[in-house]
Amino acid sequence: MPSGVPLFRPILFLLAAFTTLSHAAELKKLADFEEAAKEHNVTLVLPEYPESPEEIKAAVDKVISEFSAIGDRIASLPSGELTFENVIAPFDELYNIYEHRLSPVAIVQNTSTTAELRTVATEEFKRFQEFGISFDYREDIYNAIKAYADTDPTVEGVDKRIFDNVLRDYRRKGFGLSPAKRAEAERVQKEITRLATEFSQNIRETETLERFNKAELEGIPDEFLATLKTGEDEYSFSGKIAAHFVKVLTLAKNEESRKRMIHARSRHAMEANLPVLTKVIQLRTDLANLLGYANWSDYKTETRMAKNEKTVRTFLQDLSSGLQPKFEQELEELRKLKVAETSDSDARINSWDISYYENKLLKEKYEIDLEGLRVYFPYQACLDGMFEVYETIFGITITEIENENPWAKGVTVYVVTDTASGKPLGVFYLDMFPRLGKYTHFAQFGIIPGKLLKDGTYQRPTVALICNFPKPIGDKPSLLSFDNVETLFHEFGHCMHSILTEAEYSTMAGTYVPRDFVEAPSQVLEYWIRDKQVLDLFAADYRDSSKKLPQEVLDNMEAADLATIAIKYRGQIGYGMTDLLLHSFSHRIQVQNVGRIGNDVLAQYFLARPEGSAYVAGFGHLMGYDSGYYGYAWSDVIAADMASVFEDAEGKFMNKELGMRLREEVFSQGDQRDVTDSVEAFLGRPRSMEPFLKMLGLENNNTES
């Protein structure tokens, strides 16, 4: 179990227990916001989280029952009584019901301290998913939709958008094919969904430990090692926990230790997941063929900004080519550091060397000590400072309230209100430190979506950030790396994207946008922590708060970031091309040895992983984000463009007018209109790739998105 998230940083550690208890007693409750919610005609929801296998099963039973009732109602409508309200609008309500009933189950699945509950939740999701696919293929429901569409109804605005989406989605399920082919599509879809759940469960539940002795871990702080000691001279690092493998790859002086750690990371869940992944990709290829698409990537990108696989491939290849000279230059600079350290003139840079020699470059050339910088970023100060930043630019107030139903120790909960009006905007949870069995990465989990309800009230969103920042160690608070701070701002950006929504329909609210755009609103907010004015709000030595992060250090960090930026993006391109190419087969017989394909593609665009590994087995994005990993780089182009507006403005990133424009034109809109229209409404001009190329140091490159 983790230490709880500290409610604030106490002046004296001896007073920590007393002050925390005192602070907790002063917290408001959700009920304290009811009057304001009623005044503004909105609702706030803190759902109950199932605490037993029976409650999990009951939640799934309930949603299946509600789905069936809505489906039966649509299917039984007389032909003369078909309307938008009784045929199309219910599809948005289905999503709303799903989130209400099953998101709490997903929280249990990914965060519960009880293995039995996680297992039951996973199995129950499989049961619902199988039901859901059968529901999707109910011909009687489709017949009602088609009959309504055949009346050529007049539907406008956002209603027309959801109407078109429903028709599109049924076409993409295979309606229009023969009954036999449609039945086959349903069968394949069920099998894909079952296997995808199994793949993700294997990543979450499989353990891959690499054990070292103290001598093999030279360079890693003793305080960190103390938390992983499993024997007299044994320290066990997990291949699935980011804080573990990043620490070894960044700080361990012993090259063999670094290689062993990346090997552990790259073989995580390999035995269990390679057969699963192979089958999933074969089935996706089958389904794409059946539905009339050239490949799965074409199928998946159809609903995104890119529209097709060719556009994505061209984008990644052009970006890769543009970066090639700088990539080679950066690798050579790291290689020289390795030659100097090892006295081996033939030394080469391997995948397990990158983080270590990047860190060394920061120290030696740019005088930056990444570990030393942690003292400026105590978790609670960063959290409070981030809240202040977002409160200022978005015109909101964030208030911690009592968590009446925590799913684990240390989980906190907050209400967001509009500062000017007092209108409640939503609720978010923070579950920020790692523990056994918990989701091992960083993500926002939606729980309650934004939605205009039938009675005219607006249901405000509830979300959770599930993260794995370094835990406090002894008397030391949790100290974040600069990358951790960037991640904090990024993930909370997803939270803001969800909570600031004003979209009428839940399927268009918040982060429910094209997959290759969803990262952009979060990525733009990463630029805030590169600004001295912003950092001075919270970045201070936790031992002496008068010591701020020096401007010289920030300048050096910016220079250092540019010094290895091609390495960063070539890594992103390698992962994106792996994902794309695994899903670009035109026939299932081409799907062979997916582990080798993944390693080969990564080696082509980035650097090879150790022999005997297959990193794709632990590449969780391949499920749910399939043919979508390119979206990180794609969205970075958009984020750089939006950030450039702040960089050129008075007050830069703390410009309140621009912050509110970002809130109103991008964050609040969701998918109510084309996201390109939202971005350009904020920019006040057409989109441009120039700010992104400038960031990369490639202003003269002609790459286009």
Side-chain angles (χ1 to χ4, degrees), residues 511-584:
T511 57
Y512 208 98
V513 293
R515 183 56 63 94
D516 49 8
F517 176 74
V518 72
E519 299 297 334
S522 286
Q523 287 167 332
V524 69
L525 293 167
E526 295 174 17
Y527 285 82
W528 267 248
I529 67 165
R530 305 175 189 180
D531 184 79
K532 172 71 169 167
Q533 179 187 4
V534 173
L535 284 176
D536 277 351
L537 295 173
F538 61 88
D541 192 321
Y542 79 98
R543 300 160 301 188
D544 180 355
S545 60
S546 68
K547 294 182 178 179
K548 299 289 187 178
L549 194 66
Q551 181 65 54
E552 180 184 2
V553 172
L554 278 178
D555 292 342
N556 286 346
M557 288 175 69
E558 184 175 350
D561 188 45
L562 186 60
T564 58
I565 201 162
I567 290 174
K568 169 188 172 181
Y569 277 99
R570 284 293 290 261
Q572 289 288 315
I573 291 166
Y575 299 129
M577 285 298 285
T578 298
D579 174 33
L580 190 73
L581 295 179
L582 283 174
H583 292 107
S584 297

Side-chain angles (χ1 to χ4, degrees), residues 631-697:
Y632 285 102
W634 182 281
S635 296
D636 265 336
V637 175
I638 301 170
D641 202 10
M642 292 193 290
S644 70
V645 179
F646 285 92
E647 289 170 340
D648 296 335
E650 183 180 354
K652 297 189 72 174
F653 291 98
M654 296 305 287
N655 186 300
K656 297 179 183 180
E657 181 182 347
L658 283 180
M660 289 302 292
R661 197 164 93 200
L662 184 65
R663 169 181 166 179
E664 292 164 4
E665 299 292 358
V666 178
F667 281 70
S668 74
Q669 292 296 325
D671 198 38
Q672 289 192 119
R673 63 186 181 193
D674 190 287
V675 292
T676 296
D677 293 339
S678 293
V679 171
E680 294 185 349
F682 168 72
L683 294 173
R685 56 166 172 78
R687 287 169 50 201
S688 170
M689 199 174 191
E690 288 305 310
F692 180 68
L693 296 177
K694 182 179 178 181
M695 181 192 71
L696 296 179

Side-chain angles (χ1 to χ4, degrees), residues 65 93 102 119 131 183 257 381 400 438 479 528 549 622 624 665:
S65 173
E93 182 57 25
L102 295 189
T119 299
F131 161 80
S257 296
E400 185 179 355
K438 180 186 167 185
L479 297 176
W528 267 248
L549 194 66
L622 294 174
E665 299 292 358

